[in-house]
Amino acid sequence: MRDTLMWEVRAAPGRQQDLLAWVEATAVPELTATEHFAGADVYLGGQDRVVVIARWTAVPPRLPDPPEGLLARPVAQWPFQHHRTVTP
């Protein structure tokens, strides 16, 4: 069963912090309100990227798309199945 979602987007030039603010104010609250939500991590990457990796105990929903003015290209989302966690 797919239980993990990777959501990745590249912000318009100079808009990474605005996109991050949208993720934290809109996408993350939507995630936490969904049934079977188990946790999420938000990452900042090169080229103004924002990545969210979210986990559920059931099939994950899709995340909403941010306002187009914040984006350099469309959002990419992929569901995955968690295989294992490696810790030190």
Side-chain angles (χ1 to χ4, degrees):
M1 169 181 55
R2 290 185 162 93
D3 58 6
T4 304
L5 182 75
M6 180 177 159
W7 181 95
E8 183 267 339
V9 68
R10 186 172 176 187
R15 302 294 308 265
Q16 185 184 41
Q17 289 303 309
D18 297 327
L19 179 58
L20 178 61
W22 179 88
V23 166
E24 292 181 344
T26 303
V28 169
E30 282 194 29
L31 290 175
T32 61
T34 61
E35 188 174 9
H36 306 293
F37 176 72
D41 299 299
V42 178
Y43 298 89
L44 299 177
Q47 297 181 320
D48 291 327
R49 285 186 169 82
V50 177
V51 174
V52 177
I53 299 177
R55 296 166 303 282
W56 283 265
T57 58
V59 176
R62 292 180 60 84
L63 296 182
D65 287 338
E68 287 189 24
L70 297 178
L71 306 180
R73 62 170 173 70
V75 170
Q77 304 190 56
W78 303 276
F80 291 92
Q81 179 179 349
H82 181 260
H83 174 67
R84 74 178 186 140
T85 300
V86 178
T87 59

